[in-house]
Amino acid sequence: MSSMTRSEPFFMASPATPAPVSFPLCRYGIEFELESALTLPDYAGSLFRGSFGQALRHSCPTWREGQCHCDGLARCAYSMIFSAGRADHSIQQFSQAPNPFVLIPPAGRQTFQAGEMLRLEMVLIGEALPFIGAMILAWRKAGEAGFGKSHVRARLTRVLALAEDKLIYQPGMSGIAPHPTVLQCAGESTRSQSVTLEFFSPLRLMQRGNLVTPETLTPRLLLTALLKRIRLLADLHTNHPLSLDVTGLLAEADELTLSQQLQWFDWKRYSTRQQKGMVLGGMLGSVTLSGELAPFIPWLVLGQWLHIGKNCTFGLGGYRLLAQGEDA
């Protein structure tokens, strides 16, 4: 399949109904200069997540016997960002809570030459935001260790806060420059009757233990995944209460209609933790929701930064909203 491309998140700009939503997060651009040529697999999110996790783990002062032994009161960067652990919640019980980050690999290219810039993007959420310094150090060490099977070394050159395209770090700076860490998500007026989600990375949703296919996707399934993810991240990783009535909104979701232009996409990845290859599948393309959308718009806008579905930490379930009349 051709390489996947990505567009910048889209803010709908018209009078918001209901009130705009604010959420503690920041999306960073992390740029490297490659020492030699690098060829990436079809989807490189898990590769970069593995490099980042390994580098971050090495920073943990209490790592032993395959796990972090921080006491929970003074948690290290690894336990906070990468290993959220078990958590129970009124809307879901799970063995692994959602991690407070999203990693987005380079879009639209698979081969880079020596001396070229390699750019990743990463969203930090809530309690992970104060660990931006540890994140930068981990990415620097990951680049020094090398990416991919050939361990191609890369020099970290700068980090940007993308909301304002602001340089916050480069080698030689005395510290990390201040930058906004709260996202304001505007809504659209009640006149909006349709919205399109264009997925730039595969969407993986589960229903009763099975992957949802384009033919079985419904507004409720899509919005359940979105709203639960937002609620869980907010409750487990922030001190930022949200007026998000998941049950009430899902009842309204049943009144919406959905049309889709989705295709199934399978690709292979190698799990360093499990020491084996894996085949993952998901949906790529566009989904259009129609109906009374006003209550959902702020959450759909926010979801562009948080993604939807399984494996969001290495960039799956990423989408952008298309303005009315804009081509998918």
Side-chain angles (χ1 to χ4, degrees):
M1 184 167 178
S2 61
S3 58
M4 289 167 277
T5 59
R6 178 177 57 81
S7 301
E8 291 302 310
F10 169 68
F11 277 107
M12 289 188 165
S14 57
T17 306
V21 170
S22 63
F23 199 88
L25 65 77
C26 185
R27 188 166 59 107
Y28 298 96
I30 305 148
E31 297 181 358
F32 299 88
E33 181 181 334
L34 293 168
E35 290 189 4
S36 54
L38 174 65
T39 299
L40 298 175
D42 284 340
Y43 193 73
S46 62
L47 180 155
F48 288 111
R49 188 190 65 168
S51 296
F52 171 70
Q54 185 175 24
L56 197 62
R57 186 179 68 219
H58 289 162
S59 72
C60 174
T62 63
W63 180 269
R64 62 183 184 275
E65 299 175 354
Q67 61 182 315
C68 173
H69 291 269
C70 293
D71 61 12
L73 297 177
R75 296 175 67 185
C76 71
Y78 181 83
S79 64
M80 179 65 72
I81 297 175
F82 205 84
S83 182
R86 180 179 176 83
D88 293 330
H89 191 279
S90 60
I91 64 172
Q92 185 173 335
Q93 287 75 46
F94 30 46
S95 60
Q96 181 69 32
N99 298 111
F101 75 91
V102 176
L103 174 61
I104 307 164
R109 293 187 61 186
Q110 291 178 280
T111 301
F112 297 81
Q113 301 304 316
E116 281 195 289
M117 182 187 76
L118 173 73
R119 173 161 156 170
L120 314 172
E121 295 182 7
M122 189 172 192
V123 178
L124 292 185
I125 300 159
E127 63 187 1
L129 286 162
F131 290 89
I132 177 61
M135 183 206 77
I136 291 173
L137 177 60
W139 280 117
R140 192 187 76 190
K141 290 182 177 292
E144 292 170 352
F147 296 123
K149 292 182 179 179
S150 300
H151 299 286
V152 174
R153 290 170 58 87
R155 182 176 64 89
L156 180 67
T157 56
R158 63 176 189 164
V159 178
L160 305 172
L162 295 179
E164 296 183 348
D165 199 30
K166 179 179 181 179
L167 175 68
I168 65 165
Y169 172 82
Q170 65 182 11
M173 288 179 63
S174 58
I176 298 170
H179 55 281
T181 55
V182 175
L183 178 72
Q184 300 290 337
C185 296
E188 195 177 52
S189 72
T190 55
R191 293 190 298 273
S192 175
Q193 294 296 309
S194 67
V195 65
T196 296
L197 291 71
E198 180 186 43
F199 285 91
F200 58 78
S201 62
L203 170 66
R204 288 168 53 82
L205 300 179
M206 301 295 293
Q207 182 185 32
R208 300 186 182 94
N210 297 312
L211 283 168
V212 175
T213 65
E215 295 74 23
T216 59
L217 182 64
T218 66
R220 176 178 273 266
L221 286 173
L222 182 67
L223 292 168
T224 294
L226 171 67
L227 297 174
K228 282 189 174 182
R229 176 163 169 78
I230 292 172
R231 178 69 182 273
L232 289 169
L233 286 169
D235 289 354
L236 299 177
H237 294 298
T238 81
N239 293 316
H240 197 89
L242 291 178
S243 299
L244 175 52
D245 177 9
V246 173
T247 302
L249 283 173
L250 291 180
E252 295 186 47
D254 289 332
E255 303 301 317
L256 302 178
T257 60
L258 179 149
S259 61
Q260 51 86 9
Q261 292 182 311
L262 294 169
Q263 293 182 331
W264 193 259
F265 173 53
D266 282 318
W267 81 100
K268 297 179 180 180
R269 63 174 287 248
Y270 182 79
S271 172
T272 302
R273 181 175 63 85
Q274 300 183 46
Q275 295 292 301
K276 66 178 182 179
M278 305 173 67
V279 177
L280 297 180
M283 299 176 282
L284 280 173
S286 63
V287 174
T288 298
L289 296 172
S290 300
E292 295 300 324
L293 291 168
F296 300 98
I297 291 299
W299 311 114
L300 287 166
V301 172
L302 176 58
Q304 294 173 108
W305 278 262
L306 301 180
H307 294 206
I308 303 178
K310 295 178 65 63
N311 308 117
C312 293
T313 55
F314 54 85
L316 301 196
Y319 68 93
R320 76 169 189 129
L321 296 181
L322 299 181
Q324 292 184 10
E326 186 177 355
D327 293 332

